Amino acid sequence: MPSPHTVVGGGIAGMACARVLAGAGVPARVLDRGRRPGGRMASRTLHDRTVDLGASYLTAEEGSPFAAVVRDWVDRGVARPWTDTFAVAGPDGLRSTTTGPVRYAAPGGTRSLVADLASGLDVESGRTVTAVGPGPQVDGEDVPAVVLAMPDPQARRLLDPATAARLLDDRPWEPSLAVVLGWSRRHWPADLHGAFVNDDPVVSWVADDGDRRGDGAPVLVAHTTAEFAAGHLADPDAAAAPVAAAVGRALGVDVPPEWTSVHRWTYSRPAQARSEPFGLVDGIGACGDGWAAPSRVQAAWTSGTDLGLALAAAR
């Protein structure tokens, strides 16, 4: 059996790339250091329910290939339309609402969407890759091609400097903290859905996770500003109290949460995504939401899909 094309990183971009390769009859495998696939579309079980910690929702441009994928998820109950309206808040409280495209959520958590893409693929979880290249090699093993489906700073650590310089650049990535706040009952408006928080040094976005997931649980997930996160990467748990206070001010919640949990995203999002769909140098590719701007779930899927198509055509 020929050596497989190897995708390093089990998020939505990596799974999309591997699925295209497998669909074209190209042997492919996915290596992921986590216990289960998902990447930054992460969900975690807290207090006996799944909570979304990474991507808050997804959108699909009408007529795009990704829109067909989302329609299939909705038809099978894997995803559901959530809302097209969010609140706008500031440090002084709720201000207005804003309407945009339909946002989709996942009843089983956003990780379930990645798991759905992974169905039938050769996925090895708990596999830490230490070096890629020079040329298409993974930890010294020759393969036809390698795909790095991860944030640039993580990919750069695996590459030799010459390849990294040709494939990537030094554009910055921003950190964030996802802070889960739980109560025994709701203390905010029933039609909140989520809120963009402007002019606040601590919090930039708050999602009603019970509304998003459809079970009505009194759980909020707040995502911090990059500046605030940068000051708490060494001790993320210390961020829970100031984040809870900021959410309380923004949403008018005067009851402290009964429990909290903090997840650190050292590389949450690119400060500026590239317009190119992917990178490919000497059999080593890079894809993800750092490509196919603007940075979002659709961009990650598109980037991985387009790289998979290019590799399949070149074999």
Side-chain angles (χ1 to χ4, degrees), residues 91-254:
D92 53 347
L94 293 168
R95 297 173 176 175
S96 61
T97 60
T98 183
T99 301
V102 173
R103 277 76 166 192
Y104 294 87
T110 53
R111 193 197 71 80
S112 68
L113 304 178
V114 180
D116 186 72
L117 287 178
S119 178
L121 298 179
D122 179 6
V123 179
E124 184 178 340
S125 298
R127 170 70 183 273
T128 300
V129 172
T130 59
V132 169
Q137 290 186 342
V138 177
D139 289 338
E141 175 190 358
D142 291 327
V143 295
V146 186
V147 170
L148 297 173
M150 61 187 68
D152 287 10
Q154 294 174 328
R156 203 174 291 115
R157 291 186 201 136
L158 303 181
L159 297 166
D160 64 276
T163 302
R166 294 177 63 198
L167 182 63
L168 306 169
D169 53 35
D170 59 356
R171 67 187 60 209
W173 279 63
E174 298 177 344
S176 181
L177 302 176
V179 182
V180 187
L181 312 169
W183 289 262
S184 56
R185 65 181 182 87
R186 296 172 63 96
H187 297 277
W188 50 93
D191 59 350
L192 179 70
H193 309 305
F196 298 111
V197 184
N198 298 330
D199 309 318
D200 190 283
V202 177
V203 172
S204 61
W205 157 252
V206 184
D208 183 329
D209 197 64
D211 185 76
R212 169 171 60 187
R213 296 279 319 291
D215 64 358
V219 175
L220 299 174
V221 181
H223 293 259
T224 70
T225 64
E227 295 76 15
F228 180 82
H232 289 79
L233 292 179
D235 185 14
D237 288 342
V243 168
V247 170
R249 291 191 299 270
L251 303 188
V253 177
D254 58 4

Side-chain angles (χ1 to χ4, degrees), residues 14-15 34 47 93 113 161 171-172 178 207 218 234 245 259 267 272 290 309 314-315:
M15 291 305 176
H47 291 253
L113 304 178
R171 67 187 60 209
W259 58 270
Y267 307 114
Q272 182 179 9
L309 291 170
R315 70 188 175 104

Side-chain angles (χ1 to χ4, degrees), residues 1-6 21-22 24-29 144 315:
M1 179 178 293
S3 298
H5 284 54
T6 300
L21 290 169
V26 180
R29 63 176 175 174
R315 70 188 175 104

